[in-house]
Amino acid sequence: MPDDVLTKVRELLPSIAERAHVVDDSRRVPDQTVQDLAAAGVFRMLQPARHGGLECDPLRFYEVVREISGACGSTGWVTSILGVHSWHLGLFDPQAQDDVWGQDDSTLLSSSYAPVGELVPVDGGFRLSGSWRFSSGCEHATWALLGALVVGAEGRPVDFMTVLVPRSDYRIQDVWDVVGMRGTASNEITVDNAFVPHHRTVRNYDLAQLRAPGHAVNPGPLFRLPFAAIFTTAVAAPVIGTVAGCYEQYLGAMRDRVRLSLGGGRFAEDQFAQVAVARAASEIDAAILQTDRNIRELYELAVAGQPLPTRLRLRLRRDQVRGTERAVEAIDLLFKTSGGNSLGRGNPVERAWRDAHAGSVHVANDPERALAMYGRGAFGLPVEDNLI
């Protein structure tokens, strides 16, 4: 049950926090951490019940992700990404789900959704080639979900698909050495002319229209939700959780600190510090409350079997990117008011500041595109985009 998962995860948080510096330095989440999270049931939260999953309310999953991210941003990010793929696979043809989970329902998947691959139609499916960057947690997965364009007879793209590829058909190149979210090991995946059968593909347009082959065997409300809502929230939740966790650590560290300059005195008694804390707390609360509200409303409609209005789907995207922006604004305030103490390498505030900024540049967290879509909808203009 989801409550049991949260309880077990909270027991793991001290060890996850203790390993945070190792994750940052080694550029990957330890296998032991992933095994612990798997044993706690985190990766089953959004997995179809027919394949051993909990198929729970997505709000519970995002709550777990935020708590993990508060202890270690990279671990929270990898958890969220690997966990949301269990949901995405549930939208694929039943045979594809059986291919992955038929022998082992604990199998994990990574992804890289950018349409940089090339699909050439052949008998029974396609031939796939390409190189994809930013596949978070790929070393912990044995299948990958990859974005690709179908190439027509004239060499022009005619469709955009996500395809499912086994580990035996791709190689991983260790290229991830970055400023923030260092431990996500978001390395590069390369495929050379691998065969992909039809049942391991889905059209992105169909998913945006809430049509999926997996609905035949996964009829529950969880799988009636839009891909854009579930996935983009999964890349916002770790950023928000990272900052929320840092805020609590910040209060504990700064409460009794005495300034050695600017007249001295306790930091907590400085009115400007108090205002900064209030602003940061408000931004974090707003980010959580709005993102949770939208997911809750979508899920309640799905449970009731009601249509999911475009207005709500656009509002979710608006608040998801604003939630990420708010988290970044909050961590900037905390970083700035920490003074020189926040500059030390590995300092929790410094690491959270790097992680939040790194997570915010994911394309799904790009505010301009999502806000423009919302504005078009608000003015009554048509909005055609797969990410709503």
Side-chain angles (χ1 to χ4, degrees), residues 173-247:
Q173 295 171 274
D174 184 356
V175 297
W176 189 251
D177 191 1
V178 293
V179 172
M181 291 292 181
R182 285 177 52 80
T184 64
S186 302
N187 286 310
E188 185 172 300
I189 284 177
T190 300
V191 176
D192 295 319
N193 198 35
F195 175 68
V196 181
H198 279 299
H199 72 269
R200 292 185 192 161
T201 69
V202 292
R203 298 181 66 231
N204 287 28
Y205 176 79
D206 286 343
L207 295 192
Q209 301 302 309
L210 305 183
R211 298 191 299 263
H215 289 165
V217 292
N218 299 320
L222 178 62
F223 297 99
R224 301 292 166 171
L225 299 177
F227 172 84
I230 296 297
F231 181 75
T232 62
T233 304
V235 296
V239 177
I240 297 169
T242 295
V243 177
C246 180
Y247 172 81

Side-chain angles (χ1 to χ4, degrees), residues 62-367:
Y62 299 128
E63 181 182 11
V64 166
V65 167
R66 288 197 301 261
E67 295 238 4
I68 296 169
S69 303
C72 173
S74 289
T75 301
W77 181 278
V78 169
T79 300
S80 195
I81 296 301
L82 295 181
V84 82
H85 293 152
S86 298
W87 172 83
H88 192 187
L89 181 57
L91 301 179
F92 274 71
D93 185 283
Q95 181 59 53
Q97 298 176 50
D98 293 342
D99 289 349
V100 175
W101 288 320
Q103 298 297 317
D104 182 1
D105 61 15
S106 66
T107 299
L108 299 177
L109 306 89
S110 69
S111 74
S112 185
Y113 291 118
V116 296
E118 180 178 276
L119 284 168
V120 177
V122 295
D123 230 11
F126 303 89
R127 283 286 170 184
L128 172 69
S129 295
S131 289
W132 293 259
R133 301 177 65 193
F134 312 124
S135 188
S136 300
C138 56
E139 292 181 356
H140 302 292
T142 50
W143 288 78
L145 295 158
L146 303 173
L149 296 174
V150 179
V151 178
E154 298 179 357
R156 296 179 179 177
V158 296
D159 207 351
F160 179 9
M161 290 187 166
T162 299
V163 301
L164 179 64
V165 182
R167 180 70 180 84
S168 57
D169 285 349
Y170 62 85
R171 62 182 183 275
I172 298 172
Q173 295 171 274
D174 184 356
V175 297
W176 189 251
D177 191 1
V178 293
V179 172
M181 291 292 181
R182 285 177 52 80
T184 64
S186 302
N187 286 310
E188 185 172 300
I189 284 177
T190 300
V191 176
D192 295 319
N193 198 35
F195 175 68
V196 181
H198 279 299
H199 72 269
R200 292 185 192 161
T201 69
V202 292
R203 298 181 66 231
N204 287 28
Y205 176 79
D206 286 343
L207 295 192
Q209 301 302 309
L210 305 183
R211 298 191 299 263
H215 289 165
V217 292
N218 299 320
L222 178 62
F223 297 99
R224 301 292 166 171
L225 299 177
F227 172 84
I230 296 297
F231 181 75
T232 62
T233 304
V235 296
V239 177
I240 297 169
T242 295
V243 177
C246 180
Y247 172 81
E248 295 300 330
Q249 294 183 65
Y250 172 93
L251 290 180
M254 304 299 283
R255 186 173 287 116
D256 298 320
R257 181 163 291 168
V258 176
R259 291 189 185 276
L260 300 179
S261 60
L262 300 177
R266 290 183 63 214
F267 178 86
E269 293 174 354
D270 185 330
Q271 184 178 17
F272 296 105
Q274 295 163 357
V275 169
V277 163
R279 289 186 184 279
S282 180
E283 298 295 355
I284 295 166
D285 283 352
I288 294 172
L289 289 169
Q290 284 191 300
T291 52
D292 279 2
R293 174 191 67 164
N294 295 326
I295 289 291
R296 181 182 298 109
E297 289 188 20
L298 269 181
Y299 188 63
E300 287 174 350
L301 288 172
V303 169
Q306 298 296 313
L308 308 182
T310 300
R311 171 191 56 79
L312 177 54
R313 294 167 68 175
L314 287 170
R315 192 183 78 189
L316 182 144
R317 289 285 283 120
R318 178 199 72 186
D319 293 341
Q320 171 250 317
V321 296
R322 285 293 294 127
T324 305
E325 284 190 319
R326 288 189 169 102
V328 169
E329 290 166 12
I331 195 63
D332 282 349
L333 279 168
L334 301 181
F335 184 82
K336 184 175 181 179
T337 57
S338 292
N341 291 296
S342 63
L343 298 178
R345 183 80 163 79
N347 177 291
V349 175
E350 179 265 349
R351 186 167 56 242
W353 182 81
R354 287 188 287 109
D355 286 346
H357 277 272
S360 74
V361 302
H362 189 285
V363 65
N365 285 328
D366 175 18

